Amino acid sequence: MMRFIPVREAILGSAILILIVLVASRFAGFVAPANLANVFNDTAPLIILALGQMVVILTRCIDLSVAANLALTGMAVAMINVVMPGLPIPVIIAIAVLMGAVMGAVNGVLVWKLSIPPIVVTLGTMTIFRGIIFLISDGKWVNSHEMSPDFTGFPRAVLLGLPVLSWIAIMTVIVFGIMMARTQFGRSVFAVGGNPHAAVYTGIDVGKTQFWAFVVSGALAGLTGYLWVARYAVAYVDIAGGFELEVVAACVIGGISIAGGIGSVGGAVLGAIFLGVVKNALPVVNISPFWQLAISGSAILIAVAFNARSGRTKGRIILKSAEVTQ
């Protein structure tokens, strides 16, 4: 059984279980099925965004504009809903995904065609997207009473015991599992991140692969923008402020190498769930908000250090494997 579960994911899964048991020893209700389902539902947006960020990081890039993309898309679809409350939800979702993909494409083009470092590009677009939110909304909020019941009710609707938001996260995980393991794009992402020079010799366009990685990340950010605004029934300029760092942290904790080429869908999901459990557990056991930040930050630092050590080991194994095949 263990041969099918990577060591990194097994350790992280065990850490999550230990954390849940420790919290349950202080507050037994934490492990109640209904509460665990709520924790997963709270973590669903982070899971969706972490999967998009994973694809970008695997190509040796980073997308710091995901939260701003989420906020701009969420505000836009909320304003569309106010003007056209009868617009079907599938159309709203399609608009959100398309908007997010276009913003991701802007990042991808700047990285691909102008060779600007991804961190510079996405820091710039992050500011631009936040500025556009202010321009289109004039700094005003869109509140729940202005949104239609269908708009706010969709992600909260319960299906087979779980909200639709949770099911969308589960479906995204399945799709990404197939995409990364079974498609040419998934193999190209790992090849570009593992060794971009070798990838060129195999006919893979490095810049084009990075472009599509940003498009995928942007599309998921757009989708999450609608789900976020609809779930909380409010849209404003600073929505999801700083959430991009949490998304990157989920990937790093999950074993996605910041040097690219190493990582898995399971790792990204577990990294997001780990942060989700920590975020929900600390208030339950009456940890001070100040200590919550310190504990979360410490967990991220430990994970980064562990990730760096395991990444060096995997790198040597890859080189040895390549030497053997030659």
Side-chain angles (χ1 to χ4, degrees):
M1 182 65 183
M2 287 301 295
R3 57 181 297 199
F4 298 107
I5 304 176
V7 174
R8 171 86 190 195
E9 282 76 357
I11 294 173
L12 189 51
S14 301
I16 293 171
L17 287 176
I18 292 170
L19 182 60
I20 291 175
V21 170
L22 288 175
V23 177
S25 67
R26 295 280 304 275
F27 179 70
F30 189 78
V31 292
N35 186 66
L36 291 179
N38 287 333
V39 171
F40 181 80
N41 198 50
D42 286 342
T43 313
L46 182 58
I47 292 174
I48 297 171
L49 291 178
L51 289 171
Q53 188 71 250
M54 175 199 71
V55 177
V56 174
I57 293 177
L58 284 175
T59 62
R60 298 193 172 193
C61 297
I62 192 166
D63 187 355
L64 297 179
S65 67
V66 285
N69 183 331
L70 178 161
L72 177 53
T73 305
M75 176 60 79
V77 294
M79 294 177 73
I80 290 172
N81 179 251
V82 172
V83 176
M84 293 181 283
L87 204 61
I89 296 304
V91 176
I92 292 284
I93 293 176
I95 292 172
V97 171
L98 183 61
M99 276 191 65
V102 169
M103 284 186 270
V106 171
N107 288 331
V109 167
L110 293 174
V111 171
W112 178 19
K113 295 298 183 182
L114 300 183
S115 300
I116 303 174
I119 192 169
V120 176
V121 168
T122 54
L123 273 174
T125 53
M126 177 178 71
T127 307
I128 293 170
F129 296 160
R130 290 283 181 190
I132 294 174
I133 302 171
F134 189 86
L135 288 175
I136 64 174
S137 67
D138 201 22
K140 297 178 181 176
W141 291 35
V142 179
N143 294 306
S144 59
H145 68 274
E146 299 174 273
M147 301 176 187
S148 70
D150 289 342
F151 183 87
T152 56
F154 179 74
R156 307 178 192 180
V158 176
L159 183 66
L160 299 176
L162 282 177
V164 168
L165 174 59
S166 295
W167 283 114
I168 291 176
I170 292 170
M171 290 301 299
T172 307
V173 172
I174 294 172
V175 169
F176 269 68
I178 296 171
M179 181 181 78
M180 299 307 292
R182 301 292 181 186
T183 67
Q184 179 65 42
F185 176 70
R187 289 189 286 273
S188 297
V189 165
F190 281 106
V192 167
N195 191 329
H197 299 292
V200 171
Y201 285 114
T202 60
I204 296 172
D205 189 325
V206 174
K208 191 174 182 180
T209 304
Q210 292 173 332
F211 167 80
W212 283 111
F214 276 109
V215 172
V216 169
S217 175
L220 289 184
L223 171 65
T224 312
Y226 159 67
L227 295 172
W228 185 297
V229 167
R231 184 190 181 212
Y232 294 106
V234 65
Y236 52 94
V237 175
D238 293 328
I239 193 170
F243 199 63
E244 62 275 353
L245 299 180
E246 199 167 325
V247 174
V248 173
C251 290
V252 174
I253 290 173
I256 314 301
S257 171
I258 54 177
I262 299 174
S264 68
V265 171
V269 173
L270 287 172
I273 290 176
F274 178 81
L275 284 181
V277 171
V278 170
K279 195 173 180 179
N280 282 273
L282 294 181
V284 169
V285 293
N286 294 323
I287 300 291
S288 157
F290 303 105
W291 278 107
Q292 289 177 27
L293 291 173
I295 292 171
S296 300
S298 301
I300 292 169
L301 283 177
I302 293 170
V304 170
F306 183 78
N307 194 9
R309 289 182 62 83
S310 60
R312 284 200 298 271
T313 304
K314 289 184 178 179
R316 286 196 292 272
I317 291 173
I318 289 171
L319 290 176
K320 286 178 181 177
S321 301
E323 289 169 359
V324 169
T325 55
Q326 289 171 357

